[in-house]
């Protein structure tokens, strides 16, 4: 078994189609089919049910998916840990991690205001998903991260909640589902999705809900541009799942809660070793007193 086989398997799960997985991987469809066939022969099991409606994971496929994701996340974490953060040598430099969602939702305005208030402190920004960020932060490869993953336990790290939000199913105001008060994965099983290129916070939780029902989401496109998502969803060409307030404006794009809903508590997590740095403490105090409520937060937490 190779990492390439697992990466191809992950892509098939993400897109629910060998053809779309091939397009995402920039390889041919037969190449993906050969890799999948070789993987199933090596494991001695079928990972997918094939039907005219597409692909669905078998029980063996669900078990393999969990282990596969764990291995790939560990490999990605190791790769990032090997990167050199040269700017770390400066006492006035703070390395701040972002996930795709927090980078879109809250950081641009925060960054502008912080730089205006403290031009003497440089913020170096790196972007990870939550799984990779845990190890990077605990090992001191970054000082802090804005994240929804603040409750995980680690003696090297502390956290502070900033506000709560939730993941919502986003559609055009002209979409047939736009009037619904909430949706389940069964309601949206046949919808076409556009996602951000990097896995967003809690994306695997949405995928797990599909898998639990024997389904896979139809992800037709990933992009690095939020504006592209807005245009495609607003044009009723596809749907998306994002943190409330990221793309849905309540006018052209409607955000519909999941049933059961998927709440997200967004906060800041930091490595306590960074507290010896006076510049970092200035940054942390600024974060704790910053008003995030205008930037998509449903409710500012009591602090």
């Amino acid at each position: 078994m190779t990492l390439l086989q697992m990466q191809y398997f992950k892509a098939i799960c993400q897109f629910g189609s060998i053809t779309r997985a091939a397009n995402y991987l920039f390889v041919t469809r037969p190449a993906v089919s050969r890799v999948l066939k070789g993987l199933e022969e090596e494991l001695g099991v079928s990972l997918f049910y094939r039907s005219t409606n597409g692909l669905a994971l078998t029980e063996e496929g669900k078990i393999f998916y969990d282990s596969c994701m764990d291995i790939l996340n560990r490999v990605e974490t190791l790769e990032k840990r090997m990167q050199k953060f040269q700017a770390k040598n400066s006492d006035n430099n703070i390395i701040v991690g972002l996930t795709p969602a927090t980078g879109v939702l809250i950081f641009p305005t925060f960054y502008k205001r912080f730089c205006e208030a403290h031009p003497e402190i440089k913020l170096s920004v790196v972007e990870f998903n939550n799984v990779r960020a845990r190890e990077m932060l605990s090992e001191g490869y970054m000082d802090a991260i804005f994240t929804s993953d603040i409750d995980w336990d680690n003696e090297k790290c502390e956290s502070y909640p900033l506000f709560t939000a939730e993941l919502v199913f986003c559609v055009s105001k002209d979409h047939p589902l736009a009037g619904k008060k909430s949706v389940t994965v069964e309601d949206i099983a046949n919808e076409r999705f556009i996602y951000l290129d990097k896995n967003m916070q809690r994306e695997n939780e949405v995928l797990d809900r599909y898998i639990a029902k024997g389904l896979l989401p139809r992800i037709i496109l990933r992009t690095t541009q939020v504006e592209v998502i807005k245009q495609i969803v607003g044009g009723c060409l596809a749907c998306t799942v994002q943190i409330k307030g990221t793309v849905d404006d309540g006018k052209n794009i409607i955000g519909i809660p999941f049933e059961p809903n998927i709440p997200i508590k967004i906060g800041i997590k930091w490595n306590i070793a960074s507290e010896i740095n006076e510049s970092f403490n200035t940054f942390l105090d600024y974060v704790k007193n910053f008003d995030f409520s205008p930037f998509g937060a449903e409710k500012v937490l009591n602090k």
Side-chain angles (χ1 to χ4, degrees):
M1 187 188 311
T2 67
L3 286 176
L4 179 66
Q5 288 174 314
M6 288 187 281
Q7 289 165 345
Y8 278 32
F9 171 77
K10 175 185 175 182
I12 296 169
C13 289
Q14 285 179 326
F15 293 96
S17 160
I18 291 178
T19 299
R20 288 192 289 271
N23 291 337
Y24 173 73
L25 295 166
F26 295 102
V27 297
T28 65
R29 187 185 189 286
V32 176
S33 295
R34 284 195 299 272
V35 169
L36 177 58
K37 180 180 179 182
L39 180 60
E40 290 182 319
E41 289 177 349
E42 182 177 348
L43 296 174
V45 298
S46 294
L47 298 173
F48 295 97
Y49 295 115
R50 280 83 164 172
S51 71
T52 55
N53 294 325
L55 299 174
L57 283 169
T58 63
E59 288 302 315
E60 295 86 351
K62 294 176 185 178
I63 294 172
F64 183 74
Y65 168 81
D66 290 337
S67 298
C68 178
M69 290 299 294
D70 180 63
I71 293 170
L72 290 177
N73 285 329
R74 287 175 181 272
V75 170
E76 290 175 352
T77 296
L78 179 60
E79 289 174 348
K80 292 298 181 182
R81 287 180 64 183
M82 296 300 103
Q83 293 181 357
K84 302 297 183 181
F85 294 121
Q86 296 180 352
K88 184 72 176 175
N89 296 326
S90 170
D91 288 339
N92 288 330
N93 186 80
I94 310 300
I95 298 177
V96 181
L98 300 175
T99 60
T102 56
V104 170
L105 187 64
I106 65 174
F107 193 73
T109 299
F110 169 83
Y111 178 76
K112 178 178 183 294
R113 294 186 182 176
F114 179 82
C115 290
E116 290 172 348
H118 295 283
E120 77 282 5
I121 299 176
K122 178 184 177 182
L123 297 185
S124 295
V125 178
V126 292
E127 188 175 291
F128 305 97
N129 64 39
N130 284 352
V131 175
R132 285 180 288 172
R134 288 187 178 190
E135 284 218 18
M136 300 294 291
L137 185 63
S138 62
E139 294 300 323
Y141 288 88
M142 69 173 80
D143 294 297
I145 183 169
F146 289 101
T147 178
S148 67
D149 193 23
I150 66 173
D151 291 329
W152 60 277
D153 233 2
N154 188 295
E155 62 182 9
K156 297 180 181 180
C157 301
E158 293 285 352
S159 62
Y160 188 83
L162 299 172
F163 62 88
T164 58
E166 67 175 319
L167 282 186
V168 292
F169 170 67
C170 300
V171 295
S172 164
K173 62 180 176 58
D174 300 319
H175 192 281
L177 295 177
K180 289 185 68 70
K181 299 298 183 183
S182 63
V183 294
T184 65
V185 293
E186 292 95 335
D187 294 330
I188 61 177
N190 295 319
E191 298 297 330
R192 296 151 52 92
F193 286 93
I194 177 173
Y195 276 2
L196 286 168
D197 186 50
K198 292 188 177 181
N199 285 10
M200 63 183 172
Q201 298 170 8
R202 309 287 288 276
E203 181 176 322
N204 284 341
E205 182 172 334
V206 178
L207 181 58
D208 289 344
R209 290 193 182 190
Y210 272 86
I211 290 173
K213 300 294 183 180
L215 303 169
L216 288 173
R218 296 178 60 197
I219 303 173
I220 62 170
L221 179 64
R222 286 183 180 265
T223 176
T224 59
Q225 301 295 321
V226 174
E227 286 304 317
V228 172
I229 293 180
K230 288 181 178 179
Q231 291 176 21
I232 289 179
V233 174
C236 211
L237 301 175
C239 309
T240 192
V241 175
Q242 298 292 333
I243 292 179
K244 185 174 182 179
T246 304
V247 301
D248 53 308
D249 56 13
K251 297 178 181 178
N252 294 320
I253 299 177
I254 308 300
I256 306 171
F258 280 91
E259 179 60 44
N261 73 326
I262 307 178
I264 293 183
K265 183 166 58 176
I266 294 177
I268 186 168
K269 192 104 178 174
W270 68 93
N271 189 305
I272 58 177
S274 297
E275 294 176 2
I276 64 173
N277 185 335
E278 183 178 345
S279 293
F280 176 78
N281 290 324
T282 298
F283 163 78
L284 187 58
D285 287 342
Y286 189 89
V287 171
K288 290 180 177 180
N289 290 287
F290 190 81
D291 181 11
F292 288 95
S293 59
F295 311 112
E298 287 191 323
K299 172 186 175 185
V300 178
L301 298 172
N302 293 324
K303 303 190 280 284

